[in-house]
């Protein structure tokens, strides 16, 4: 089952409260803001841009999600984050239920952010979802840009958010690491390990004294083969690094 990733959380935190979260890999995908929730967003306020003005706090948590909010009440950074993480589950479930085709993590994150902002009904009635479920992913990505109005007025913040969601939706998942069976380095290392092992073990395991003697007399051949194998491994790693593989 797919859940909102840290990148998806970072997107929502930035566009809901201007917070720039650092990911576990040390990157900050949405820089320029504080690392923790400002007092302004830790204090319950009335969101007048909503279709119906509603009490809101933190990363978009409203009285639809938490019924005990009172205007002017202030919460800690940890509390508003906790509210958000409990709230977002409903939107994750909604996306999983509405999407009928396979999607990757970036597409799921973009859709959860979109749904969290426009509402579950907004998603389920959207042309975006219709196109996606018909397999028209590129057309679906363009639909994000139509959702930039609030109260009949276009907002720069919504334009930027929809752009970020659309770009994330179209971003392929980067393959971080090959499996052992796919790794060219491992494939190259296996012959080297075999040559090295046989050279060391030949005197003990050879079925005939002559074979053991031959191997010992030509040990330099094994070392040359081993050296060439290691050179090949280094060349592969340099090539992988240049191509962005790890």
């Amino acid at each position: 089952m797919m859940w909102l990733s840290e990148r998806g959380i970072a997107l929502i935190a930035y566009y809901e409260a201007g917070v720039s979260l650092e990911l576990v890999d040390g990157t900050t995908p949405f820089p320029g803001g504080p690392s923790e929730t400002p007092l302004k967003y830790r204090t319950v306020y009335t969101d007048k841009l909503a279709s119906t003005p509603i009490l809101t706090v933190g990363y978009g948590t409203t009285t639809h999600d938490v019924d005990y909010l009172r205007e002017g009440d202030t919460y800690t950074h940890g509390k508003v984050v906790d509210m958000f993480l409990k709230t977002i589950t409903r939107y994750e479930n909604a996306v999983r239920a509405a999407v009928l085709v396979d999607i990757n993590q970036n597409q799921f994150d973009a859709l959860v952010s979109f749904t969290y902002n426009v509402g579950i009904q907004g998603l389920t009635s959207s042309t975006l979802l219709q196109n996606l479920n018909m397999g028209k992913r590129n057309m679906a990505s363009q639909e994000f840009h139509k959702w930039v109005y609030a109260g009949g007025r276009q907002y720069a913040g919504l334009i930027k958010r929809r752009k970020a969601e659309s770009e994330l939706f179209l971003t392929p998942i980067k393959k971080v690491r090959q499996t052992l069976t796919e790794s060219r380095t491992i494939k190259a290392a296996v012959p080297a390990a075999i040559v090295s092992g046989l050279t060391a073990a030949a005197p003990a395991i050879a079925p005939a004294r002559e074979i053991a003697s031959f191997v010992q007399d030509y040990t330099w051949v094994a070392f040359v083969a081993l050296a060439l194998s290691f050179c090949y491994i280094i060349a592969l790693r340099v090539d992988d690094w240049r191509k962005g593989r790890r």
Side-chain angles (χ1 to χ4, degrees):
M1 185 178 294
M2 203 173 288
W3 302 92
L4 189 67
S5 75
E6 59 171 355
R7 185 173 294 275
I9 293 173
L11 189 158
I12 293 173
Y14 184 77
Y15 287 102
E16 290 287 349
V19 176
S20 297
L21 297 180
E22 182 178 309
L23 308 187
V24 293
D25 64 4
T27 63
T28 304
F30 304 98
S35 59
E36 293 196 354
T37 313
L39 177 61
K40 172 183 175 181
Y41 291 102
R42 289 190 287 107
T43 303
V44 180
Y45 64 96
T46 299
D47 182 0
K48 297 179 180 179
L49 295 182
S51 54
T52 300
I54 190 169
L55 292 179
T56 306
V57 71
Y59 301 164
T61 301
T62 71
T63 47
H64 287 317
D65 312 303
V66 178
D67 59 9
Y68 54 78
L69 295 182
R70 295 186 304 174
E71 188 155 15
D73 283 358
T74 300
Y75 296 92
T76 64
H77 167 74
K79 181 60 178 178
V80 297
V81 170
D82 183 61
M83 287 181 186
F84 167 74
L85 293 177
K86 290 178 179 177
T87 297
I88 202 64
T89 302
R90 184 158 67 95
Y91 299 89
E92 293 170 320
N93 291 336
V95 170
R96 282 193 290 268
V99 176
L100 306 179
V101 295
D102 290 337
I103 56 176
N104 64 33
Q105 184 66 58
N106 286 341
Q107 291 167 340
F108 181 79
D109 289 350
L111 290 169
V112 172
S113 173
F114 174 78
T115 306
Y116 187 62
N117 188 226
V118 307
I120 294 173
Q121 186 177 357
L123 170 70
T124 56
S125 63
S126 69
T127 306
L128 188 162
L129 180 64
Q130 293 174 22
N131 283 331
L132 178 59
N133 282 337
M134 289 189 292
K136 301 176 181 178
R137 295 172 194 266
N138 287 333
M139 291 180 65
S141 71
Q142 295 304 311
E143 291 294 320
F144 283 97
H145 303 288
K146 296 180 180 180
W147 294 77
V148 294
Y149 295 87
R153 178 183 170 188
Q154 190 178 75
Y155 284 88
L158 289 177
I159 293 174
K160 292 177 181 178
R161 180 170 183 161
R162 298 291 98 87
K163 180 175 183 291
E165 290 167 348
S166 178
E167 288 177 349
L168 181 61
F169 184 87
L170 291 173
T171 301
I173 297 296
K174 182 178 178 182
K175 191 174 183 181
V176 178
R177 186 178 295 277
Q178 296 172 304
T179 64
L180 287 179
T181 54
E182 292 175 323
S183 172
R184 296 191 300 165
T185 304
I186 295 297
K187 289 177 180 178
V190 168
I194 292 173
V195 169
S196 179
L198 287 178
T199 301
I205 67 173
R209 189 181 299 274
E210 291 78 8
I211 296 177
S213 176
F214 176 84
V215 172
Q216 288 178 316
D217 290 342
Y218 290 91
T219 300
W220 64 271
V221 175
F223 280 117
V224 169
L226 196 60
L228 290 174
S229 295
F230 280 123
C231 288
Y232 179 57
I233 291 170
I234 292 171
L236 286 180
R237 296 309 295 149
V238 171
D239 182 56
D240 285 345
W241 178 81
R242 290 177 61 188
K243 292 179 180 177
R245 295 194 289 262
R246 295 293 181 267

